[in-house]
Amino acid sequence: MGLYGIGQSVLREEDPRLLKGRGRYVDDVQLAGETRAFVLRSPHAHAKLGNINAAAAKAAPGVLAVLTGDDLKGRGLGAPRPVVPRKKSDGSPAFVTPQPLLAQGFVRYVGEPVVFIVAETYNQAKDAAELIEVEYDTLPSVVTPEESLAPGAPQLWEKNPGNEAFFHEAGDKAATDAAFAKADRIIKHRIVVNRVTTNSMEPRGCLAEYDPEEGRYTLRATIQSAHGTRSAIADQIFMIPQSKLRVVCDNMGGGFGMKGGASAEYSLAMWAAEITGRPVKWISERGEGILSDEQARDSVIETELAIDKDAKFLGLRTVHKCAIGAYNTSDRNVNPTMVAIGCLNNTYTFQGVHAKVIGVLTNTMRIAFYRGGGRPEPLYVTETIVDVAAKELGMDPAEIRRRNAIPPSAMPYTTPFKQKYDCGEFARTMEECMVRYGYSEIDKRRADAKKRGKILGVGVGLLVEPAAGRDYEHVEVRFDPSGNATLICGSMDHGQGHGTTFKQVLSDRLGLDSDNIRYVYGDTDVVTQGVGTFGSRSAVLAGSSVVMAADRIIEKGKKIAAHLLEAADADIVFAKGKFTVGGTDRSVGLMEVAKKSFNQDTMPKGLEAGLYSRADYGGDTATFPNGTHICEVEVDQDTGHVAMTRYFAVDDVGVMINPMLCEGQIFGGIVQGAGQALLEDLLYDRENGQLVTGSFMDYCMPRADDFCEFDLHNIVIPTKKNPLGVKGAGEAGTCGALPTVMNAVNDALSQIGAKRIEMPATQERVWRALQSVRA
């Protein structure tokens, strides 16, 4: 790479290797004696599980193991459970339903694992699965949160009438009620956030080994947290010391939140490796992934906005009914519904905001985090109700937002959710975005579009979201006797370019050529500890840890340099990779100091040999990236086709370590947000709970030609909450795109008097809205 610093757009060092097919993903690793696994899954959304006749499968060619729920009971493996205790709306404890690795007694969604088959080849395992006879006594199912909560709805669990799993309340109820009491107008709207799935480029997969001599497992998997996965499997499922499990993740083709947990198949493969005495590999097929990957979103939100006669926002009140799936089995399908509920406040000066969240059990796959990590949903709610208010009041949507934006003079600003925005200029990002887009020329553009048979719509969306507020991150810097450094990090890289970015930080701090730095992550036997990659946390926490570790290297290096240069420690100055005696030309380079540190004869007395350091950065580190997005669409009046024609974003993500990679993160986030707004929709049949959109023939994934060119710009307002001044950029694009694109579509529909539609704005849904007006 070379000698690079913070703020340079350095190409990702891994790209040439990955683009030439030289990456090392799970399925690239081949072990001697490797076997293959297949999962037989439930074809029913809800059924009582009867006898499983696997005799023919066990006798089939190549079959090594056939594991069922009864075998699971015999082995005594556990199941994940929520860590944080919750309550229901009546004050009783939340209904917790640990999900066993293989179904026992009942199946409660299509795709639930029933039998795990291991054979010499994948096709042999798949063929054997077809020989297994399973008795199912089907039961009524329910797949939407509103229907599940309705009186008389099918009951998922005998001990849980009503299907409520948990209840959460946040915000300032008293202040919100007071704000509504003095409102001149109350705007109400029912908002639907549709269910989606991740569809990462690399599907979930794992390769498990068992060493009977050590009683130790090794798991290679597509995961976002090596240490978190080790902890979940060792502590909750196998009940073994964590030292008995090594978890490894090399390259990973996308995670987006879905790969943040310990999937059941990983523990099943470990168990099967223990039984067969051979390595067991399981790789999800694409259709299997759509069925069984953790899904996301899926809620209905009753929303009320209180405003005064000057269109100033007074209060916001919401009730979220969230379909969490059939099992309340870990914090993963709880936290997305509430962990970022404070985003409802967004960029506005509300006097009070109050939210109620109801977690609802449904006969569907569990939900979990997805790009945005619980932020896009509340931001979408607020930006939708603000747009509805603007339309009802006959106001320009940008003007109503400007009128209610928190001013820079109010910083630091504490919201009704007790979140403290330390810095930000929300109106400024909107002004710059409007200028770049040419907001004053909307009428002219509408007229031009109309001549071509198109209806032009413009959507505006503001966002501010918490990032990097959870836990800490770990970094180690180790020099070897040749003077080269190894940078070890607990944060996982699954496409963000961490190796390049963190090397830039270390290179900038130490004046060390990036070619002399090796980057290591994703191996619990090498990395002492770590939390993982999610929630726009890596640049803030891991990047700051790199700074701290580098500073500790410098401090120790000064002592060694002082000894070598026969000077006092206090006289040594470090800059650009050299230790210099202040006011002289006598100096020694960092790499030379590192080499000398391994020779006790050249070391100061009392100082340990070697040059290394470690750092953990975390605590009160929440930052608040923010921005404004504007989307323009053209709707075909005859067909209902929606074309994104222009997209502008002005974001404040603080200092950008690598502007090019930062822009790539925002770009990708916009695509995923717009994909949900326009195309993607995971649908279960309301009558029988079958997954209707089970392949790419039905689940519409966005393509490059579905998008226009994006105009992305950044305002740099550094935060003082970390030594780098970074705020995080991984979620910003999705948080901005989801409401902005839908606001644009609905703005177009409003031009001809059509009613507002909910996500996704598919061509059929838009066409029906157009036809309703003509009728």
Side-chain angles (χ1 to χ4, degrees):
M1 285 172 61
L3 188 62
Y4 293 113
I6 294 170
Q8 292 181 261
S9 291
V10 182
L11 293 173
R12 296 196 316 176
E13 63 176 17
E14 64 266 40
D15 283 351
R17 172 171 51 86
L18 297 178
L19 292 171
K20 293 176 182 177
R22 295 175 183 167
R24 185 165 57 187
Y25 300 89
V26 169
D27 207 17
D28 291 324
V29 179
Q30 307 288 329
L31 299 179
E34 180 179 290
T35 64
R36 294 300 300 268
F38 178 80
V39 183
L40 180 65
R41 302 181 182 276
S42 168
H44 302 289
H46 196 191
K48 186 174 182 180
L49 188 60
N51 182 59
I52 300 177
N53 184 353
K58 291 177 180 178
V63 173
L64 302 170
V66 178
L67 305 175
T68 67
D70 287 341
D71 299 315
L72 183 67
K73 291 178 183 177
R75 175 60 175 79
L77 296 181
R81 298 179 66 90
V83 175
V84 180
R86 307 281 182 192
K87 292 185 181 297
K88 297 173 71 172
S89 55
D90 62 5
S92 62
F95 186 71
V96 175
T97 57
Q99 181 178 356
L101 301 176
L102 294 169
Q104 297 175 354
F106 292 84
V107 292
R108 292 182 171 87
Y109 64 91
V110 174
E112 182 166 355
V114 177
V115 185
F116 194 72
I117 306 104
V118 181
E120 295 286 355
T121 70
Y122 181 71
N123 285 336
Q124 286 176 331
K126 204 170 184 180
D127 290 343
E130 296 182 1
L131 301 175
I132 299 173
E133 299 174 357
V134 184
E135 294 179 358
Y136 294 101
D137 184 6
T138 58
L139 299 167
S141 61
V142 62
V143 299
T144 71
E146 289 181 309
E147 290 176 352
S148 186
L149 290 173
Q155 198 168 306
L156 273 75
W157 296 85
E158 183 181 351
K159 296 181 180 180
N160 189 45
N163 295 325
E164 179 186 330
F166 62 86
F167 175 80
H168 178 72
E169 205 165 2
D172 190 330
K173 186 177 187 304
T176 305
D177 290 344
F180 271 79
K182 60 185 179 183
D184 291 289
R185 190 160 184 168
I186 296 175
I187 310 295
K188 298 183 180 181
H189 190 62
R190 176 181 175 272
I191 296 170
V192 178
V193 178
N194 57 317
R195 181 175 282 238
V196 292
T197 186
T198 299
N199 289 313
S200 54
M201 186 174 291
E202 182 191 16
R204 284 185 301 124
C206 67
L207 176 58
E209 301 174 79
Y210 178 68
D211 182 348
E213 297 300 319
E214 287 193 65
R216 192 168 192 256
Y217 304 84
T218 298
L219 175 71
R220 290 182 176 271
T222 53
I223 48 176
Q224 292 176 229
S225 173
H227 293 84
T229 300
R230 181 181 69 172
S231 174
I233 294 176
D235 296 349
Q236 295 187 313
I237 298 174
F238 278 77
M239 281 80 79
I240 57 175
Q242 292 188 25
S243 60
K244 292 291 185 180
L245 172 59
R246 177 191 181 192
V247 177
V248 180
C249 179
D250 293 310
N251 297 128
M252 196 221 296
F256 310 113
M258 181 268 289
K259 294 179 182 174
S263 297
E265 295 87 354
Y266 303 165
S267 293
L268 290 169
M270 289 168 54
W271 177 26
E274 171 192 317
I275 291 172
T276 62
R278 293 170 60 180
V280 175
K281 178 182 283 184
W282 171 79
I283 303 293
S284 172
E285 292 185 325
R286 185 62 65 184
E288 183 181 17
I290 294 178
L291 195 69
S292 63
D293 290 346
E294 289 175 323
Q295 297 163 5
R297 320 285 199 228
D298 198 354
S299 55
V300 177
I301 306 99
E302 300 294 342
T303 312
E304 296 179 290
L305 173 66
I307 57 180
D308 68 12
K309 58 182 175 57
D310 297 318
K312 291 285 288 182
F313 301 159
L314 301 175
L316 180 66
R317 204 153 47 193
T318 60
V319 178
H320 306 242
K321 299 171 185 176
C322 307
I324 66 167
Y327 293 87
N328 179 14
T329 189
S330 80
D331 295 311
R332 286 186 58 74
N333 59 335
V334 175
N335 284 343
T337 68
M338 64 179 69
V339 71
I341 200 70
C343 286
L344 284 169
N345 196 92
N346 204 5
T347 59
Y348 306 118
T349 54
F350 289 112
Q351 295 177 16
V353 185
H354 184 250
K356 295 178 181 179
V357 177
I358 306 169
V360 187
L361 294 164
T362 52
N363 292 111
T364 59
M365 177 58 190
R366 302 180 312 277
I367 66 162
F369 290 108
Y370 174 58
R371 190 85 180 251
R375 302 166 181 83
E377 297 95 311
L379 287 167
Y380 178 77
V381 167
T382 301
E383 288 303 280
T384 296
I385 196 69
V386 167
D387 239 44
V388 171
K391 289 291 188 290
E392 287 196 20
L393 296 172
M395 287 186 66
D396 180 84
E399 174 56 30
I400 197 171
R401 288 173 167 85
R402 181 191 297 108
R403 192 171 297 187
N404 289 281
I406 300 166
S409 60
M411 299 295 173
Y413 183 85
T414 302
T415 76
F417 294 96
K418 307 304 180 187
Q419 291 183 317
K420 184 176 285 187
Y421 300 166
D422 60 307
C423 62
E425 298 182 23
F426 308 142
R428 177 185 165 195
T429 66
M430 187 172 67
E431 293 289 348
E432 291 212 18
C433 198
M434 291 170 65
V435 169
R436 295 179 73 86
Y437 165 68
Y439 199 81
S440 60
E441 299 176 358
I442 288 178
D443 289 341
K444 179 180 180 299
R445 297 184 64 80
R446 287 196 203 277
D448 290 343
K450 189 174 182 179
K451 294 175 184 177
R452 293 181 279 107
K454 313 290 184 182
I455 310 169
L456 187 136
V458 178
V460 179
L462 271 61
L463 70 113
V464 58
E465 38 122 358
R470 293 177 57 193
D471 299 311
Y472 68 95
E473 200 47 82
H474 175 77
V475 156
E476 297 175 39
V477 177
R478 301 178 189 169
F479 280 84
D480 59 39
S482 69
N484 291 280
T486 298
L487 173 58
I488 301 170
C489 186
S491 184
M492 306 286 288
D493 188 344
H494 38 95
Q496 298 90 338
H498 287 172
T500 302
T501 304
F502 297 148
K503 281 186 180 183
Q504 280 182 254
V505 177
L506 193 62
S507 178
D508 184 277
R509 211 72 175 183
L510 297 182
L512 192 66
D513 193 304
S514 297
D515 290 333
N516 299 120
I517 304 171
R518 176 175 174 248
Y519 181 67
V520 176
Y521 70 97
D523 187 338
T524 57
D525 272 11
V526 177
V527 185
T528 306
Q529 60 196 52
V531 176
T533 298
F534 43 83
S536 300
R537 69 193 304 276
S538 294
V540 175
L541 301 182
S544 297
S545 294
V546 173
V547 171
M548 292 172 61
D551 288 347
R552 290 168 184 172
I553 288 288
I554 293 170
E555 288 306 307
K556 184 174 181 179
K558 283 182 177 180
K559 296 176 182 178
I560 301 170
H563 182 71
L564 295 173
L565 297 171
E566 299 180 341
D569 295 359
D571 292 337
I572 300 298
V573 177
F574 181 79
K576 297 182 179 179
K578 288 186 177 183
F579 296 95
T580 304
V581 179
T584 75
D585 59 358
R586 295 167 56 220
S587 65
V588 59
L590 174 61
M591 292 184 71
E592 184 63 25
V593 167
K595 293 175 184 178
K596 297 292 186 182
S597 72
F598 287 90
N599 185 342
Q600 198 65 54
D601 294 337
T602 57
M603 286 282 285
K605 289 183 179 180
L607 206 60
E608 290 182 347
L611 187 59
Y612 57 88
S613 67
R614 53 171 287 170
D616 299 305
Y617 185 83
D620 182 21
T621 56
T623 58
F624 292 92
N626 58 87
T628 298
H629 291 215
I630 295 178
C631 176
E632 179 187 280
V633 300
E634 288 186 356
V635 175
D636 189 291
Q637 297 189 55
D638 297 321
T639 67
H641 177 261
V642 177
M644 286 178 63
T645 50
R646 302 176 80 206
Y647 196 102
F648 292 76
V650 175
D651 286 289
D652 166 21
V653 297
V655 172
M656 293 173 286
I657 299 172
N658 186 316
M660 180 175 61
L661 300 192
C662 179
E663 182 174 298
Q665 285 289 300
I666 296 172
F667 191 108
I670 292 171
V671 167
Q672 285 181 282
Q676 177 175 359
L678 296 176
L679 303 166
E680 299 180 57
D681 199 19
L682 199 70
L683 287 175
Y684 285 91
D685 190 293
R686 291 191 175 189
E687 297 298 320
N688 55 33
Q690 291 295 319
L691 182 63
V692 178
T693 52
S695 75
F696 289 157
M697 296 293 290
D698 312 296
Y699 188 93
C700 189
M701 286 288 287
R703 304 181 306 183
D705 60 0
D706 290 313
F707 302 102
C708 56
E709 184 177 347
F710 299 161
D711 183 299
L712 306 181
H713 180 67
N714 280 278
I715 292 174
V716 178
I717 303 176
T719 178
K720 295 180 180 179
K721 301 189 79 171
N722 62 72
L724 285 170
V726 298
K727 295 180 179 178
E731 328 287 344
T734 305
C735 290
L738 210 63
T740 304
V741 173
M742 279 305 296
N743 284 344
V745 173
N746 280 301
D747 178 62
L749 293 177
S750 72
Q751 304 302 312
I752 61 167
K755 291 183 178 179
R756 192 175 184 95
I757 62 173
E758 300 297 319
M759 290 190 293
T762 60
Q763 184 169 349
E764 179 188 356
R765 189 168 290 181
V766 173
W767 180 82
R768 290 189 183 278
L770 295 172
Q771 294 305 307
S772 68
V773 175
R774 290 167 185 164

